[in-house]
Amino acid sequence: MATLTIRDALNQALREEIIRDDNVFVMGEEVAEYDGAYKVTRGLWKEFGDKRIIDTPITELGFAAVGVGAAMAGLRPVIEFMTWNFSVLASDQIINHAAKMFYMSGGQFKVPVVFRGPNGSAFQVSSQHSHSLEAMYANFPGLKVVQPSTAADAKGLLKSSIRDDNPVIFMEQERMYGLKGEVPDGDDFTIPLGVADIKREGTDCTIVARSMTVPIALQAAEKMQAEFDVSVEVVDPRTIKPLDIETIVNSVKKTNRLVIAEESHSFASVGAEIAYQIMDGAFDHLDAPIKRISTVEAPMPYAKNLETLALPDVDKIVAAVKEVCYL
Amino acid sequence: MAKTAINRKPVTAAKNGSKTAKPSEKNGNEEFAVVELAKAEYKQRLKSQLESIKKTDKRLLREMLYQMVLGRRFEEKCAEVYRMGKIGGFCHLYIGQEAIAVGSMMALEPTDMVITSYRDHVQAMVKGMSPESVLAELYGKATGCVKGKGGSMHMFSKDLGFYGGHGIVGGQIGVGTGMAYAAKYKGTGQVTLCFFGEAAVNQGIFHESLNMAQLWKLPIVFICENNQYGMGTSQDRAMSTRNIARKADAFEMANEFVDGMDVMAVRDASIRAIERARKKNMPTLLEVRAYRYMGHSMSDPGNYRTREEIAKYQERDPIALFKQSLNDAKVLSEKDFTKLEKDAMDAVESAVKFAEESPLPLESELMTDVYA
Amino acid sequence: MAEKFLMPKLSPTMEEGQISRWVKSEGDAFEANETLAEVDTDKATMEMTALTGGTLLKILKGEGETALLGEAIAITGKKGEDISALLTEVASNGGRKASDAGGTPALQSEPPVSAGGQIATTATSQSNVGGSPTQAETRTTASVPSGISVTPTNGRMIVSPIAARMAADNGIDLRNVSGSGPNGRIIKRDIEEALSGGTRTPSSATANQFTPSTIVGASAFSDEPTSKMRQVIAGRLAESIGPIPTFYLTVEIEMDNVLAVRKQINANLDDESKISVNDIIVKAAAMSLLKHPWVNASYQDKTVRFYEQADIGVAVAIDEGLITPVVRGANLKGLAEISAEIKDLATKAKAKKLQPDEYTGATFSISNLGMMGIKEFTAIINPPEAAIIAVGGAIQTPVVREGQIVIRNLMHVTMSCDHRVVDGATGAKFLQSFKQMLEQPAMMLL
């Protein structure tokens, strides 16, 4: 086991997969000479050169399309969006092309491309750089959507995503790049897509959290334990699509209470979908209505106090847990 | 470069400064003049085609004509069965544009890759797909080239290097660029032919793709099939310049304007571009001007243009022209042509029978091929 | 110029005040610092004085009425002044002080959701006059207070899915469970409590904390908040039948064992100390009541009062009518003690010497007309008790036992139940215990 930041774990995953498979290349804005806008690709260009690490013009739709076409023609591109906010420019390629190609070609053309980059809020980068887009992409059959929350998950899931034959939306979180965690050694360490992870076991209430809300939910769980003797289980789906609803259902069957914490806006969010699926799969096991903590329904403000107010935090999650526990 | 240049003069703005002069406001004499010019051009085509024909294998020439006729008869049949309710959804026909697919694609190696827009039936067949496979797809049958999952706009064949018909205007320009990227990356020597209509040129992806293709020196030929209408909007009403080929100059990319009614002109220009791609890893933009005889789709009433305008282009119909040239060059007799026509009709009828008799997709197919 | 006289802040924490008395009447003139009215605040009754002199032109809030801080309670000015415009304004905005905070409806420094998950909107209303109303709304919706019933349930039973399932699995009648969730929602915890503590017990946290009665010697009690469901049941039934919605349950009890036991006991006692069947009935009732707290209870509208002991009222006929002296803590007393006490109380009753302490504050009553040849009757509940039993005579009756016709002494007991607290099943279970005690008197020893 090595202790790595999420940034370095991602870097390792890329490096190992580039070495493992000649068809893997990394393309995006500033990924090569500049070492990556967030340094996830640090050192890779120096090591692997122009063929494997490619700087693009600022042309999101264009290089996303190159990723799709190259994947159809047999390569395994890893396309970096400097942030997922910019992917909206490329969404035609992701949604109308990558997601649907395998199906509309009757199963002939696989699109093994990974689109990756930081998703959600950062530090006071305001409205156009702070959106969490996972719900939008999760809405399209054909795409897989991944949101890791630890260094080990980041590495294991990225390696699996690169090896996957489908287009994968791999969403990191800028606030979390520096978070450290233990990562198993070895080039063969992978984590399968579609398998949730119970980050903390508990008996009284389940929190489903992902990406940025996982560490917050864990803090909230500790607080509930210390102050109210409430035992909280924290489930991290890790992959939004395919969603491991079974693990969440089993947790809710145990705890009878569910709080969903997510960084995205609430309307038609992944949390809304999970709430529906829990109603479908564990209705008779609920002791309280499901609560959801999301970012407020407003574009992200710049001012620090407003940004803090907009986002989920420990207190908001604690309040929700107390509510479902009738405390 | 554009040795078969036809009227390339940009349409001058009307005297009052409006660029959207309605057809009815046009001078009747001008219309007449255009038709006369067309007739004159027709003669010139005959002459230039003869020269090209002399340099080309006779069997290939006959096959080219056959593919054009097959494409025409196939699309006519599509219109017929569409009206009978056999084909659902959208159905965009290629009639009038056959010289483009045949002239360009029959200059390719079999392993080369092709990607195109939703007007894809004839390109699929020229790349080697059987009329049965295409028509069954149009019928939504299990035997269609994509098992009834794509329909008219989405013909695909991985084995034949046909990377699909695509329904988002311009989207395939970027995908084709990626295919060329892969070919260069892997060093396969494959060339990508990427078709799109002139309306797609106004999309951002066209400009983004040409920039990357030239920047990264990709083996691709961008073929703009200028049929002069983006749905019901004429090029004049949608584009600030009539000159599409020269847009490539902005990227310092090689470009050529080609008469899309002249299959040999298309072929000659395509050979140049394909060679450039294969030998030098350099892209080319070809603007190939043709004319869409039919509406944009089967649901298009076509009230944005006159019958006379259509008739004008039909006078220099690419099949008639090519047939005449082959006749003049003694490559093909009238008797040969009759047989060729019959073969094409037989192939189409056989496709109809096949499509009619084929089963619908199994319901279990609904959820297959979502994920690989 | 006439102006509104606003409810002043008379204590540091005051949010509203109630006019307890107007010292001045409409038309009266007053000097500066003169008292206009007395106002009850959250702390005390305060004198409300005028800052300047003038005339009390119109009283807007009469005695007993309440006004929020800053709300207009009167109009003052010069005598004869036209105040119609002010009256219109007051009528249109409810007398609220016009928004004059101005400037910055900025965010309060406090977080939007406190750790407790609740924000009392009233707590901010004072400092927030003229503040951002949208924010106040956001806050209330963002933090729904838990555990506080706000929405009427219209008699609909609200049960969480898991609670419903657990109740079904364990054969628990949800009507006998009071919900501790919002709007009386029955939640998992309520079912768990019901399972651990019998069919229905008061919430465990307070079950054993009894408040001493103000009546000397009377049973201590604990008041449990009346559940929404119980309030609705009470309201509906009272509407249907009168102030105390009563129903009746009759049970037939074989008294042969009691008679035998009594015979045994009395064989060893002198004549004065001999116990009666009624004494045994009192004891059996008291013992049963302890097992069924909802019968040893009282409906108190907002609360249900549970009694710690069984104070049994025993109806005694006297010349002027009827009185029910009370045997305090009958559950704690032996038969001899009960018997002696009843004799004493009956004697006092007939002599009209009973003190109020001795005939009020029972938790349950017994009316026995068996000795007067009555086989079966119904009695009227003595409020605020929840039930009374009407005891008929033990009459020899042929019955079939193990296939044989035998003679048994059967006694009919009919319990009148206050349906606001005692449901059919609750009453029936009580009577089962009661019957068991009498048919197997040894059970009373448990």
Side-chain angles (χ1 to χ4, degrees):
Chain A
M1 288 275 192
T3 302
L4 297 177
T5 61
I6 289 181
R7 175 184 287 111
D8 290 342
L10 292 166
N11 183 276
Q12 260 191 11
L14 290 171
R15 186 175 178 277
E16 288 170 12
E17 294 307 300
I18 288 168
I19 292 169
R20 179 178 178 271
D21 185 347
D22 288 343
N23 290 328
V24 174
F25 67 93
V26 177
M27 175 179 272
E29 293 155 4
E30 311 291 356
V31 297
E33 199 172 1
Y34 190 82
D35 264 348
Y38 296 102
K39 306 303 171 208
V40 171
T41 56
R42 181 164 51 201
L44 297 180
W45 179 68
K46 283 193 189 76
E47 183 175 358
F48 299 106
D50 283 334
K51 182 174 181 189
R52 311 297 293 279
I53 315 292
I54 300 102
D55 276 332
T56 66
I58 297 185
T59 186
E60 278 86 5
L61 177 60
F63 66 75
V66 167
V68 174
M72 286 174 78
L75 299 184
R76 290 188 176 272
V78 178
I79 304 295
E80 175 173 312
F81 290 115
M82 197 179 290
T83 90
W84 273 98
N85 298 277
F86 310 154
S87 79
V88 177
L89 284 160
S91 58
D92 173 55
Q93 282 298 324
I94 301 171
I95 291 165
N96 285 323
H97 294 82
K100 298 170 170 65
M101 201 67 75
F102 190 62
Y103 193 84
M104 71 182 185
S105 69
Q108 295 181 68
F109 284 98
K110 295 172 184 169
V111 188
V113 59
V114 174
F115 296 105
R116 53 154 289 275
N119 179 54
S121 69
F123 303 94
Q124 284 187 270
V125 293
S126 192
S127 302
Q128 291 182 328
H129 289 72
S130 300
H131 207 102
S132 293
L133 283 152
E134 64 272 22
M136 177 177 106
Y137 288 115
N139 195 238
F140 297 99
L143 297 180
K144 293 188 176 181
V145 182
V146 181
Q147 283 191 290
S149 70
T150 66
D153 289 353
K155 180 174 180 183
L157 291 167
L158 181 55
K159 286 166 73 82
S160 292
S161 298
I162 293 171
R163 296 181 194 185
D164 198 279
D165 279 339
N166 297 283
V168 178
I169 305 297
F170 193 90
M171 295 176 147
E172 299 145 22
Q173 220 299 348
E174 190 193 328
R175 289 171 186 268
M176 301 173 79
Y177 277 139
L179 286 190
K180 287 183 179 171
E182 292 206 320
V183 180
D185 298 324
D187 295 355
D188 289 334
F189 166 65
T190 58
I191 292 171
L193 304 188
V195 180
D197 185 39
I198 297 173
K199 292 283 191 267
R200 182 190 198 279
E201 292 207 6
T203 53
D204 299 331
C205 177
T206 301
I207 302 178
V208 173
R210 55 186 200 274
S211 188
M212 191 191 86
T213 53
V214 172
I216 299 173
L218 288 169
Q219 285 176 54
E222 292 305 321
K223 199 168 176 181
M224 287 307 297
Q225 189 72 62
E227 292 178 19
F228 300 96
D229 196 27
V230 166
S231 160
V232 174
E233 179 149 303
V234 177
V235 180
D236 176 1
R238 301 194 291 195
T239 306
I240 304 309
K241 210 171 184 183
L243 180 68
D244 179 6
I245 192 66
E246 196 185 339
T247 297
I248 304 172
V249 163
N250 288 339
S251 177
V252 171
K253 282 183 177 174
K254 180 171 66 173
T255 65
N256 309 122
R257 295 160 197 112
L258 177 61
V259 168
I260 300 163
E262 58 190 356
E263 196 193 341
S264 66
H265 296 295
S266 59
F267 194 92
S269 72
V270 172
E273 172 65 21
I274 291 172
Y276 164 73
Q277 292 202 29
I278 287 301
M279 192 208 71
D280 202 36
F283 177 75
D284 285 335
H285 296 269
L286 287 173
D287 195 38
I290 297 165
K291 289 297 292 181
R292 196 160 47 120
I293 299 298
S294 317
T295 292
V296 298
E297 286 285 314
M300 188 63 74
Y302 164 72
K304 193 166 184 58
N305 67 322
L306 296 181
E307 185 187 56
T308 305
L309 209 56
L311 289 165
D313 61 23
V314 174
D315 284 345
K316 289 178 189 175
I317 295 173
V318 163
V321 172
K322 285 175 67 182
E323 196 172 330
V324 299
C325 291
Y326 301 106
L327 290 171
Chain B
M1 197 153 62
K3 61 178 191 169
T4 55
I6 56 168
N7 178 18
R8 289 198 56 188
K9 206 170 66 177
V11 170
T12 47
K15 294 214 168 50
N16 62 5
S18 163
K19 286 188 179 176
T20 54
K22 290 175 188 152
S24 60
E25 290 171 5
K26 281 184 184 167
N27 188 322
N29 290 334
E30 195 179 305
E31 279 290 322
F32 177 76
V34 170
V35 172
E36 285 305 301
L37 180 66
K39 283 176 179 169
E41 279 179 358
Y42 183 84
K43 284 175 185 160
Q44 200 197 323
R45 292 282 163 277
L46 283 174
K47 202 174 153 221
S48 67
Q49 279 202 342
L50 268 178
E51 287 168 25
S52 289
I53 283 166
K54 283 178 197 160
K55 296 184 283 187
T56 310
D57 176 73
K58 285 181 185 172
R59 277 209 322 238
L60 177 63
L61 290 166
R62 276 199 290 269
E63 181 61 18
M64 286 171 68
L65 181 62
Y66 175 74
Q67 286 296 335
M68 290 173 77
V69 172
L70 175 65
R72 170 99 30 120
R73 299 294 163 258
F74 185 90
E75 296 289 67
E76 286 166 354
K77 181 57 78 176
C78 284
E80 183 187 327
V81 297
Y82 190 92
R83 291 188 181 106
M84 291 161 64
K86 304 283 189 186
I87 299 173
F90 300 131
C91 186
H92 311 90
L93 301 180
Y94 203 63
I95 295 172
Q97 300 174 223
E98 297 88 349
I100 307 176
V102 171
S104 60
M105 291 170 70
M106 291 184 77
L108 288 174
E109 296 295 327
T111 53
D112 287 335
M113 297 179 280
V114 171
I115 188 166
T116 186
S117 73
Y118 43 80
R119 202 177 300 284
D120 60 351
H121 311 164
V122 175
Q123 268 130 338
M125 290 192 294
V126 176
K127 195 74 176 81
M129 213 180 278
S130 69
E132 280 82 358
S133 183
V134 177
L135 196 64
E137 186 58 36
L138 287 162
Y139 270 63
K141 295 293 182 76
T143 52
C145 64
V146 294
K147 304 190 281 187
K149 289 182 173 177
S152 169
M153 299 184 286
H154 306 303
M155 304 293 169
F156 286 83
S157 171
K158 190 169 188 182
D159 293 342
L160 295 169
F162 192 70
Y163 278 65
H166 296 266
I168 308 297
V169 172
Q172 79 279 8
I173 307 175
V175 178
T177 305
M179 287 151 54
Y181 188 92
K184 184 181 177 189
Y185 183 100
K186 293 197 283 189
T188 61
Q190 291 163 290
V191 172
T192 298
L193 237 55
C194 178
F195 293 94
F196 48 92
E198 90 287 347
V201 168
N202 296 322
Q203 291 272 34
I205 188 70
F206 168 82
H207 304 273
E208 297 192 29
S209 299
L210 263 64
N211 180 50
M212 290 186 294
Q214 183 69 19
L215 179 70
W216 292 331
K217 300 183 169 39
L218 302 182
I220 184 166
V221 182
F222 296 105
I223 301 182
C224 174
E225 300 193 64
N226 184 356
N227 67 18
Q228 307 184 44
Y229 284 89
M231 262 188 91
T233 305
S234 68
Q235 187 190 346
D236 298 340
R237 295 177 58 226
M239 202 180 286
S240 63
T241 168
R242 221 178 146 66
N243 197 331
I244 292 169
R246 295 282 303 275
K247 283 177 186 276
D249 288 346
F251 308 99
E252 299 189 351
M253 185 187 291
N255 61 87
E256 211 172 317
F257 176 88
V258 188
D259 178 7
M261 300 308 231
D262 180 347
V263 69
M264 294 312 292
V266 175
R267 179 178 165 81
D268 292 345
S270 298
I271 287 171
R272 288 189 287 275
I274 291 165
E275 283 302 294
R276 186 178 297 119
R278 207 181 311 277
K279 300 256 171 71
K280 298 182 186 165
N281 268 332
M282 289 301 281
T284 305
L285 171 63
L286 296 181
E287 178 191 356
V288 188
R289 187 179 301 164
Y291 193 80
R292 193 186 74 211
Y293 290 8
M294 309 291 285
H296 165 72
S297 68
M298 289 303 295
S299 51
D300 176 0
N303 51 13
Y304 46 86
R305 58 184 182 179
T306 59
R307 285 187 179 282
E308 289 72 24
E309 183 182 306
I310 300 171
K312 177 190 83 178
Y313 281 97
Q314 284 173 337
E315 286 208 22
R316 25 192 308 266
D317 180 83
I319 294 177
L321 176 73
F322 190 39
K323 182 186 154 197
Q324 184 68 55
S325 296
L326 292 179
N327 206 19
D328 292 352
K330 310 237 182 297
V331 173
L332 195 83
S333 67
E334 191 61 38
K335 195 179 150 198
D336 292 335
F337 185 73
T338 308
K339 182 176 183 306
L340 186 148
E341 274 274 13
K342 185 179 180 303
D343 288 348
M345 276 314 294
D346 287 351
V348 170
E349 288 305 334
S350 158
V352 171
K353 187 166 184 289
F354 178 80
E356 291 276 358
E357 291 173 357
S358 286
L360 292 169
L362 294 174
E363 290 186 0
S364 60
E365 276 292 316
L366 176 65
M367 297 309 295
T368 61
D369 305 327
V370 179
Y371 289 96
Chain C
M1 194 188 132
E3 56 185 19
K4 290 174 286 181
F5 194 95
L6 308 178
M7 174 62 81
K9 184 168 176 169
L10 298 168
S11 91
T13 53
M14 168 179 171
E15 287 164 10
E16 59 178 28
Q18 188 183 33
I19 309 293
S20 71
R21 188 168 74 92
W22 279 101
V23 176
K24 296 285 179 188
S25 306
E26 288 182 5
D28 287 356
F30 55 84
E31 304 285 318
N33 294 326
E34 204 175 344
T35 298
L36 300 183
E38 289 168 1
V39 175
D40 287 339
T41 71
D42 56 339
K43 294 277 191 287
T45 302
M46 306 288 288
E47 290 190 350
M48 184 181 82
T49 53
L51 293 174
T52 57
T55 302
L56 182 57
L57 299 174
K58 178 80 186 168
I59 289 173
L60 299 172
K61 295 283 179 185
E63 287 173 7
E65 285 191 78
T66 299
L68 291 172
L69 210 63
E71 195 174 349
I73 54 174
I75 292 172
T76 57
K78 289 190 192 115
K79 202 165 190 115
E81 211 172 334
D82 178 16
I83 58 166
S84 56
L86 277 175
L87 286 174
T88 314
E89 185 195 321
V90 165
S92 65
N93 70 6
R96 278 247 170 222
K97 191 171 164 184
S99 172
D100 58 0
T104 57
L107 288 182
Q108 303 296 305
S109 56
E110 65 203 284
V113 180
S114 74
Q118 297 178 26
I119 294 265
T121 43
T122 48
T124 57
S125 64
Q126 176 182 330
S127 57
N128 214 21
V129 173
S132 157
T134 44
Q135 191 202 349
E137 275 169 30
T138 312
R139 290 176 168 212
T140 33
T141 50
S143 54
V144 179
S146 58
I148 294 172
S149 305
V150 279
T151 319
T153 59
N154 296 325
R156 196 178 146 251
M157 187 183 286
I158 306 179
V159 191
S160 85
I162 187 69
R165 189 182 153 99
M166 288 168 72
D169 289 350
N170 290 286
I172 291 176
D173 184 347
L174 284 169
R175 285 171 301 185
N176 294 337
V177 178
S178 67
S180 65
N183 301 322
R185 182 187 300 145
I186 298 172
I187 60 177
K188 186 183 177 186
R189 160 172 88 201
D190 300 323
I191 304 295
E192 283 170 347
E193 277 169 12
L195 283 172
S196 66
T199 44
R200 191 175 59 169
T201 53
S203 133
S204 59
T206 50
N208 299 322
Q209 293 166 4
F210 291 93
T211 310
S213 172
T214 49
I215 298 168
V216 178
S219 172
F221 56 84
S222 70
D223 287 347
E224 298 288 327
T226 311
S227 72
K228 277 284 169 194
M229 179 185 72
R230 187 118 308 272
Q231 285 177 17
V232 170
I233 291 175
R236 287 258 177 104
L237 297 174
E239 221 170 85
S240 128
I241 203 166
I244 300 177
T246 311
F247 68 93
Y248 307 95
L249 299 169
T250 301
V251 69
E252 192 177 70
I253 303 172
E254 218 174 277
M255 292 296 282
D256 299 77
N257 289 342
V258 164
L259 295 172
V261 164
R262 174 176 173 250
K263 205 171 167 184
Q264 280 173 20
I265 293 171
N266 283 347
N268 302 314
L269 298 174
D270 57 48
D271 280 357
E272 277 189 16
S273 309
K274 286 191 180 356
I275 61 166
S276 69
V277 172
N278 196 55
D279 298 335
I280 300 174
I281 288 170
V282 168
K283 176 68 181 170
M287 296 299 282
S288 300
L289 285 169
L290 266 281
K291 287 189 160 188
H292 300 277
W294 283 82
V295 181
N296 197 36
S298 169
Y299 186 79
Q300 306 269 329
D301 197 24
K302 299 285 185 212
T303 58
V304 173
R305 176 164 294 186
F306 295 98
Y307 296 104
E308 187 177 18
Q309 309 297 347
D311 294 353
I312 309 287
V314 181
V316 174
I318 55 171
D319 288 348
E320 272 110 72
L322 173 79
I323 196 159
T324 49
V326 183
V327 182
R328 301 284 173 200
N331 52 304
L332 304 172
K333 292 175 178 168
L335 279 171
E337 197 180 350
I338 290 171
S339 181
E341 202 170 312
I342 291 175
K343 278 183 192 123
D344 179 47
L345 288 165
T347 310
K348 281 185 180 172
K350 282 171 180 149
K352 296 182 196 168
K353 289 194 174 157
L354 279 178
Q355 295 299 306
D357 282 356
E358 291 170 318
Y359 61 82
T360 59
T363 65
F364 183 84
S365 290
I366 295 173
S367 177
N368 190 342
L369 295 178
M371 62 289 275
M372 303 179 80
I374 297 299
K375 182 186 173 192
E376 188 179 341
F377 71 107
T378 59
I380 305 297
I381 291 171
N382 185 19
E385 294 159 40
I388 184 169
I389 50 175
V391 180
I395 293 166
Q396 289 201 336
T397 311
V399 297
V400 179
R401 290 286 182 269
E402 292 164 354
Q404 300 291 314
I405 295 176
V406 292
I407 304 297
R408 291 283 189 264
N409 287 282
L410 294 188
M411 179 176 84
H412 288 83
V413 171
T414 298
M415 180 160 76
S416 308
C417 307
D418 179 348
H419 209 330
R420 295 175 301 174
V421 262
V422 182
D423 297 322
T426 320
K429 284 175 187 161
F430 167 82
L431 284 176
Q432 273 177 4
S433 296
F434 180 64
K435 176 183 164 87
Q436 192 184 26
M437 300 258 180
L438 293 174
E439 292 186 346
Q440 300 161 54
M443 295 299 291
M444 276 187 271
L445 299 173
L446 290 177

